Amino acid sequence: MPGIEDFLREYVFRRRPVVITDLFATQEIAGIATVEDALETWGAMPIQLQEEYTAAEGKDQPDQPVVMEFAEYVELIRTDPSTRLCCTEYETPARVLATFRLPGVCTASAGADADEIFGLPKKYGDFDLTTNTFIGNVGNVAHLHFDGDQRQVFLHEVYGRKRVVLFDPPSARHLRTLDGPYSRPSLAGLYLEAMDTDEKLEQIARADGYHTILEPGETIYIPMLAWHHVEYLDDAMSVNLRFGRTSFGRFLSLDNFHRDPFIQNVASKMVGPADALRSFAPLVEQVKATYRRPARDMTERIRLMRALFRDLCAHVTPEAVPDELCPTEREEEQVERIVRSNDLRGGLKYADPDTIARTRPVGPVSDRQLEILRDGITTAGYSKEIEHAVMFNRFGKSELSDLSRAEAAQLLGYLRTPGASW
């Protein structure tokens, strides 16, 4: 792992994927390389399970996720290897958080670059961090997609192997994005999981993609907004760390906008040191003006945004070839797909910025929040050392008194998850 400045310059700002072999060298998590190691360390740890990747198949998720101990799940997949239940995008349990230390690069890009767009308060706290755990059995697949949160990602493989395939955003025109499942416009219509290895590698080469087999103890850096496909080659476990974003990333994320390849391609260029980011100010002013422009309904709102980002894409990311990405004769079909998608369900997308701001807590942690948090931490069974580890790896801070009100709200939510218990 290079130093922070070198890593930002050589990989993050250049959007270069890379496999890191020693991100957590000498830390406890580095000594957990097999399922037996994990059972010894985390056997009683509660995890939440669901039937994964049903969105790519047009199925609904069950209403109630299943909760069981990690050791019970390992026994389940050994006795029923065909089960579709797995742990995915689950808030990283405290037992796992206590085995490593958050790399400094994760907080280094959290956005001292500019004021927040529309003055919107940070929803996830000062360092804007999240982390998730993934545990699944051999044969599980994360269908080719891109994430809408606009975060840089470390995906650390604890045990088992995964095949990871990545494509840069401009490759979207090769990925059949117009024909993906209607549930999410960020799901590609290219089913790599249905191809044999030679077919996969041919497709990856054709679209200038990246391919690796991630081994236990290795960590892959995935640039924000990259298309990614992940296959479980073994029963496997991984943890992802999602970096803090720039103000542009926070604004253009799924919190406020829909997902589509035009936004993806434009936003993917908005990385770099502070002076480079300042050059995007005129572009952001165009986006803000269109965001505030009156629209009759959500369909017209999506049309307006698509028209703007198609034009911006042609200027900022011409290699994406926007007219190939979505020919004009298919534009209305894609507008309808977005309006009907899960992306626009719930939340405050395209709401008035003042309304959004009023829903987000601001200022330092309150006395009442501190009281509730201390009770919750006692109930969870944390020692002071564990409290500091969980806090730092989740929020980049070690003391409850240093939390913002938003971070305190996030921690209160975390303490309600099954995995928060020690």
Side-chain angles (χ1 to χ4, degrees), residues 170 262 265-270 280 283 286 309-320 322:
F262 290 143
N265 273 279
V266 172
S268 70
K269 292 289 188 178
M270 300 169 75
F280 290 100
L283 181 156
Q286 292 184 65
F309 278 97
R310 178 190 285 268
D311 183 61
L312 293 175
C313 185
H315 290 87
V316 175
T317 321
E319 64 271 27

Side-chain angles (χ1 to χ4, degrees), residues 78-323:
R78 285 173 171 171
T79 56
D80 182 10
S82 64
T83 182
R84 292 292 300 257
L85 287 177
C86 63
C87 178
T88 180
E89 293 188 358
Y90 180 55
E91 278 264 20
T92 299
R95 286 275 178 182
V96 179
L97 286 174
T99 61
F100 65 88
R101 185 169 177 82
L102 183 75
V105 72
C106 295
T107 57
S109 57
D113 52 281
D115 295 333
E116 294 300 297
I117 311 300
F118 287 136
L120 292 175
K122 291 181 180 179
K123 184 176 181 180
Y124 299 95
D126 292 340
F127 292 119
D128 193 37
L129 302 167
T130 64
T131 173
N132 305 111
T133 291
F134 301 78
I135 309 170
N137 52 335
V138 60
N140 256 299
V141 176
H143 180 73
L144 185 61
H145 68 287
F146 70 91
D147 297 330
D149 65 354
Q150 306 225 6
R151 297 178 186 275
Q152 318 285 349
V153 176
F154 279 149
L155 179 67
H156 178 74
E157 197 67 7
V158 179
Y159 66 80
R161 298 169 303 141
K162 288 180 180 172
R163 182 193 309 278
V164 181
V165 177
L166 306 177
F167 297 98
D168 289 325
S171 294
R173 70 186 194 278
H174 302 299
L175 306 180
R176 304 176 195 162
T177 60
L178 299 182
D179 303 313
Y182 255 62
S183 58
R184 277 168 46 195
S186 58
L187 291 165
L190 183 70
Y191 283 75
L192 292 171
E193 57 267 40
M195 302 178 185
D196 63 31
T197 301
D198 287 342
E199 288 178 296
K200 284 187 183 76
L201 295 176
E202 288 173 8
Q203 182 63 52
I204 293 163
R206 189 178 303 121
D208 293 325
Y210 303 84
H211 170 269
T212 193
I213 305 297
L214 198 63
E215 302 282 347
E218 294 183 337
T219 309
I220 188 168
Y221 162 65
I222 302 176
M224 71 169 189
L225 294 165
W227 291 92
H228 51 287
H229 162 94
V230 180
E231 299 175 21
Y232 285 68
L233 301 181
D234 306 308
D235 297 345
M237 174 180 180
S238 59
V239 176
N240 77 14
L241 302 173
R242 309 185 77 82
F243 296 22
R245 300 162 291 184
T246 67
S247 60
F248 299 151
R250 285 188 288 275
F251 176 56
L252 294 173
S253 75
L254 191 58
D255 286 337
N256 305 310
F257 286 76
H258 72 280
R259 281 180 283 203
D260 75 34
F262 290 143
I263 295 177
Q264 175 198 23
N265 273 279
V266 172
S268 70
K269 292 289 188 178
M270 300 169 75
V271 293
D275 57 344
L277 292 175
R278 281 192 287 270
S279 69
F280 290 100
L283 181 156
V284 173
E285 289 304 314
Q286 292 184 65
V287 176
K288 290 167 64 178
T290 303
Y291 187 100
R292 285 194 177 278
R293 185 173 165 185
R296 288 189 307 274
D297 52 27
M298 189 57 73
T299 299
E300 184 178 5
R301 169 67 58 213
I302 299 303
R303 284 195 193 107
L304 290 171
M305 281 298 171
R306 290 269 295 181
L308 171 66
F309 278 97
R310 178 190 285 268
D311 183 61
L312 293 175
C313 185
H315 290 87
V316 175
T317 321
E319 64 271 27
V321 193
D323 287 340

